[in-house]
Amino acid sequence: MATPDQELVPLLDKDGVRLTVDDALATVTLTNAAKRNAQSPAMWRTLAEAGRQLPGSVRVVVLRGEGKSFSAGLDRQMFLPEGIEGEPSFVDLARSGDAELDAAIAEFQEGFTWWRRGDLVSIAAVQGHAIGAGFQLALACDLRVVADDVQFAMRETSLGLVPDLTGTHPLVSLVGYGRAVEICLTGRFVHAQEAVATGLANVAVPVAELDPTVQELAAAILAAPRDAVVETKTLLRGAGERTYDEQRAAERASQARRLRDLAGLGE
């Protein structure tokens, strides 16, 4: 059965990434199911390009993966001396200078950074394996709806690396420092029940209900006025960095803007 984004003409379809837009709803689909949506620098560049190509009408972005796995993580060919054709291998990266290496990793991260933009709400629909880079891509989103077969794991440390694709900040924010350390250092699987219980996922559903549940969630978000959604998201994003009184003041300022806008008195 065709998924919703397959019924639309893609704005972007390359390097294992497809972007479709239906008015206020965009869908980014990982399309290399044969390799369990393994990730490469080309995919990361295309994910960043997808963010840049979003029309201004888009309010909600759904991220999903075709096949049985959301994303099994890095393409293991990157670990080989020859790497992936046309891409730097880990050996090549290790031989580069400090500034060059830092710039390369920063470019990789760009595919993971735009999902929490203030003017968007992003929802990851996660089934099967979400390993390493796949885990971090799911963590890049505002919300995560998971299938009951989901298997999250952060395997970088087990491979002698560290998670460097923006996943450490949201992981600690969601599950706390101690649990984040344990998850990363052991590389163990986190299944659906634990993911929901710890706040890593918003809800878990049977695999067959994953796409419909995400569509319902997206529709509920789109039903609210855009400016109020943007203002609320901004307010919540900053809450962890403010004191109680600072957050109260931020609430007052945000509400004042909303009331003036509703009364037609905004700037």
Side-chain angles (χ1 to χ4, degrees), residues 141-155:
C141 293
D142 294 307
L143 306 171
R144 279 152 298 283
V145 177
V146 303
D148 53 14
D149 69 344
V150 75
Q151 298 182 67
F152 289 114
M154 201 73 83
R155 291 287 171 79

Side-chain angles (χ1 to χ4, degrees), residues 224-235:
R226 179 171 196 163
D227 289 344
V229 170
V230 170
E231 196 82 46
T232 301
K233 178 176 173 178
T234 301
L235 188 64

Side-chain angles (χ1 to χ4, degrees), residues 143-210:
L143 306 171
R144 279 152 298 283
V145 177
V146 303
D148 53 14
D149 69 344
V150 75
Q151 298 182 67
F152 289 114
M154 201 73 83
R155 291 287 171 79
E156 284 83 352
T157 307
S158 303
L159 296 171
L161 302 169
V162 300
D164 67 336
L165 295 171
T166 78
T168 56
H169 188 281
L171 182 62
V172 172
S173 297
L174 289 165
V175 305
Y177 168 75
R179 191 179 296 268
V181 168
E182 181 252 332
I183 287 171
C184 290
L185 299 192
T186 65
R188 70 173 177 86
F189 285 121
V190 177
H191 299 282
Q193 184 177 357
E194 181 183 357
V196 174
T198 59
L200 187 58
N202 296 83
V203 64
V205 297
V207 174
E209 297 177 17
L210 182 60

Side-chain angles (χ1 to χ4, degrees), residues 78-119:
M78 291 180 66
F79 291 90
L80 301 178
E82 63 271 20
I84 299 172
E85 185 177 358
E87 300 288 356
S89 68
F90 282 158
V91 173
D92 295 328
L93 289 171
R95 289 172 175 163
S96 59
D98 290 346
E100 185 180 358
L101 180 55
D102 183 78
I105 297 173
E107 182 186 29
F108 298 160
Q109 291 175 332
E110 288 178 8
F112 295 73
T113 56
W114 61 268
W115 301 90
R116 295 200 179 199
R117 274 171 34 186
D119 60 329

